[in-house]
Amino acid sequence: MNFIIDYYNYWVVVFLMMAGFYTVIAANNLVKKIVGLNIFQTSVFILYISMGKVAGGSAPIVADGITVYSNPLPHVLILTAIVVGVATTAVGLALVVRIKHAYGTVEENEFKHKDDLI
Amino acid sequence: MILEMISNIFLILGAFFALTGAVGLFKFPDFFTRIHAASVTDSIATILLFSGLILRTEFDLVAVKLVFVLVFLLLTSPTASHALAKSARHGLLATSAETLSKTNKDNN
Amino acid sequence: MTELIDLVLLAMLAITAVGVIFLKDLFAVVMLFGIYSFLSALIFVNLDAVDVAFTEAAVGAGISTVLMLSTLALTGRQEKVSDHKTFMPLLIVVATGAALIYGTLDMPPFGNPDNPVHQHVALRYIQDSPQEIGLPNMVTSVLASYRGFDTLGETAVVFAAAIGVLSLLGMPKRERAAIESGLESHLVLQVVAKIIIPLIILFALYVQFHGDYGPGGGFQAGVIAAAAIILYALVFGLPVATQVLQPDLLKTLAALGVLIYAGTGVASFFLGGNFLDYNVLASNPVAGQHVGIILIELGVGITVFAAMLSIFYAFASKAERKNIQ
């Protein structure tokens, strides 16, 4: 039972990562691929933040009467990662709009063989 | 002690109304009735849950912040439901009563 | 009790992810992604990461969802049925998942205070940052001062993304409000938006300057302010919004934010310290740290606000030109 509580977070994160990964490689529509990529990214964030949690600690803001704090270092890394993630998503979605403009479709099996257009 | 009892009752009632809103979202037959069920969560469940939480604080800055959040939620969630319903009506989405009467007219 | 909340929230997250795989209506997929973001923000609060939860809720459930919806307006709402064989991807995914789970069995147990990650550097930050920097929010002091280089790089990445999207999609010109767009018949929405937008901007300023004492900081503030103007553009129409905040002004603001950040670093050069060493910016080191952190958070907030809003303008003007209203 203790074993499950120790590792439950990590197993669910691996499941979410694989769900996002499957969406990226198996989906036909480009927008759905980008949604899958974002799911993958967010699950990795949950992995890092779970590693930073200290049982019985509180948020890393100094306050009177609190001695145990959760680790602030993973929080900083993930803050940067979230913002970089949304920047990448924005550029990816702009590329999808241009693909639609150039090929007329965003379904992968319809434009995979159309490379002579450009 | 009394305050904690009242807060517990409010929290449980708020959770119950949120649950009924969610059940209504599944059971009702039509888009407009489903919005009506979901708006139960927007209004009464929000008020009950927040009142229960406010009674648990010591009425300091945290209570003021909770009041702000409550006012903001009461302002925006019903507006969102209204915007959804109005857009659906503009898009000529039929209620289930109208669909039923149309199929009856087609059959007769 | 926190374990129970953790368990339930993670299970809901898994169900949402499975829903994303199987749905064909892309509008529903994007909405499920918004729900996924909100649920992960809740999980972050439960795991004591309040700053991260704030950013995830604002960025993931706000900006990302809006951008995906504007892309859907341009590319179409239904996913067509594909003739992909799904056996190969499923095999790859199951194999990778099995390997990863085998790897997690070696990880230290969840929440244990003796984990290797809590020793060494993190211990020093927790113990020394109240004296060296003097701010209650340790995440802000690590982000802005101890790891200031990374944050400079991050601001540059946001700026570069705005440049990338603008070169791909083009920017709307500031035009007379000739096209009557905006939601004319939604009177309730217009009135409520007029009440709420000033309060959102005020809240963004609060988050910007209060990031030293509680959760908050430049990124969250920039995203919240951009969300206020995006709401204005959605309700009252893009031409009116481009008259309020001209696109050229946004380009200038985006560059100005990065300039403020890098300029603080160069100013430390001229005052005798290293690059981005805030100790030399004022008479005593702790006051210097406060000055430096406020300046760079201002730079970050300005750049993130201008970049997110420019990206939205670029997507929305494409949709306007296609006349999808």
Side-chain angles (χ1 to χ4, degrees), chain A residues 72-73 76-77, chain C residues 122 125-126 129 133 135 137-151 293:
Chain A
L73 194 53
V76 173
L77 301 175
Chain C
Y125 288 156
I126 295 181
S129 84
I133 307 199
L135 293 180
N137 190 356
M138 283 188 265
V139 173
T140 300
S141 58
V142 174
L143 182 80
S145 172
Y146 288 120
R147 302 277 169 122
F149 279 157
D150 299 340
T151 314
I293 290 182

Side-chain angles (χ1 to χ4, degrees), chain A residues 83 86-87 90, chain C residues 59 63-64 67 158 161-162 219 222-223 226-227 230 250 254 302-314:
Chain A
V83 178
V86 76
Chain C
V59 159
I63 299 283
S64 259
L67 289 181
V158 170
F219 297 107
V223 171
I230 290 178
L250 287 179
I302 292 176
T303 293
V304 170
F305 165 68
M308 294 296 157
L309 201 52
S310 314
I311 293 176
F312 173 73
Y313 273 2

Side-chain angles (χ1 to χ4, degrees), chain C residues 75-155:
Chain C
T75 59
R77 196 177 141 165
Q78 286 286 90
E79 179 188 12
K80 305 210 184 89
V81 181
S82 82
D83 51 356
H84 269 185
K85 304 275 184 312
T86 56
F87 172 67
M88 223 20 222
L90 202 55
L91 188 64
I92 296 179
V93 160
V94 167
T96 316
L100 281 174
I101 291 194
Y102 177 64
T104 62
L105 293 176
D106 259 341
M107 287 183 73
F110 169 62
N112 194 345
D114 299 324
N115 287 348
V117 70
H118 302 304
Q119 322 301 333
H120 317 298
V121 181
L123 208 57
R124 184 208 185 275
Y125 288 156
I126 295 181
Q127 282 169 348
D128 291 343
S129 84
Q131 289 91 291
E132 285 182 353
I133 307 199
L135 293 180
N137 190 356
M138 283 188 265
V139 173
T140 300
S141 58
V142 174
L143 182 80
S145 172
Y146 288 120
R147 302 277 169 122
F149 279 157
D150 299 340
T151 314
L152 176 61
E154 172 186 1
T155 315

Side-chain angles (χ1 to χ4, degrees), chain C residues 240-252:
Chain C
V240 178
T242 50
Q243 284 196 315
V244 168
L245 267 181
Q246 289 87 345
D248 293 327
L249 176 66
L250 287 179
K251 289 185 205 172
T252 318

Side-chain angles (χ1 to χ4, degrees), chain A residues 7-22 39-40 42-47 50, chain C residues 10 13-14 17 36 93-105 107:
Chain A
Y7 293 102
Y8 174 76
N9 271 48
Y10 304 139
W11 292 339
V12 176
V13 163
V14 169
F15 177 76
L16 292 171
M17 261 200 258
M18 291 303 110
F21 186 36
Y22 179 76
I39 292 183
F40 188 95
T42 313
S43 70
V44 173
F45 301 157
I46 299 180
L47 177 71
S50 311
Chain C
L10 283 172
L13 211 58
Y36 182 90
V93 160
V94 167
T96 316
L100 281 174
I101 291 194
Y102 177 64
T104 62
L105 293 176
M107 287 183 73

Side-chain angles (χ1 to χ4, degrees), chain A residues 13-87:
Chain A
V13 163
V14 169
F15 177 76
L16 292 171
M17 261 200 258
M18 291 303 110
F21 186 36
Y22 179 76
T23 313
V24 169
I25 52 182
N28 208 18
N29 191 311
L30 287 180
V31 178
K32 200 160 176 190
K33 280 185 200 267
I34 293 187
V35 171
L37 192 65
N38 273 313
I39 292 183
F40 188 95
Q41 280 177 335
T42 313
S43 70
V44 173
F45 301 157
I46 299 180
L47 177 71
Y48 269 79
I49 303 289
S50 311
M51 286 203 293
K53 160 102 176 144
V54 174
S58 84
I61 300 179
V62 175
D64 295 329
I66 301 186
T67 46
V68 184
Y69 296 104
S70 282
N71 196 344
L73 194 53
H75 302 179
V76 173
L77 301 175
I78 298 305
L79 260 177
T80 305
I82 291 180
V83 178
V84 169
V86 76

Side-chain angles (χ1 to χ4, degrees), chain C residues 158-173:
Chain C
V158 170
F159 181 55
I163 294 177
V165 172
L166 286 182
S167 19
L168 281 170
L169 293 182
M171 188 64 129
K173 299 280 171 273

